[in-house]
Amino acid sequence: MTRVFLIPLALLSACRESETGCGAEDYADLVGRPVAAITLPADLPHRVVGPDDMVTMDHRPDRLNIRTDADGTIVALDCG
């Protein structure tokens, strides 16, 4: 009997991001702060994504995604 194991795509992309990465873990202390009150390096590729924002589906491992709630508070950071 052959067994097939399915790995969720999110896990595969997380592995790939950790190899190249955007440095999201370096900015983890920003979670919980208002996005309007932060300053990032000018050469850091990033985008701010609100709960109802539409975003392009292009994947850029070096880009930091800053996810906010409706009030503009940073709730998560990830690469892509």
Side-chain angles (χ1 to χ4, degrees), residues 11-78:
L11 291 178
L12 291 175
S13 66
C15 293
R16 187 174 67 235
E17 288 169 6
S18 65
E19 292 172 8
T20 56
C22 65
E25 61 278 351
D26 297 337
Y27 296 97
D29 62 326
L30 298 179
V31 174
R33 295 177 56 190
V35 72
I38 67 167
T39 304
L40 297 171
D43 61 344
L44 176 67
H46 69 281
R47 65 180 171 183
V48 177
V49 182
D52 297 321
D53 291 349
M54 293 191 311
V55 295
T56 60
M57 295 302 293
D58 64 318
H59 181 76
R60 291 185 46 200
D62 64 327
R63 178 175 51 204
L64 177 66
N65 292 317
I66 303 169
R67 303 197 183 270
T68 67
D69 63 12
D71 295 325
T73 301
I74 299 171
V75 295
L77 302 166
D78 58 71

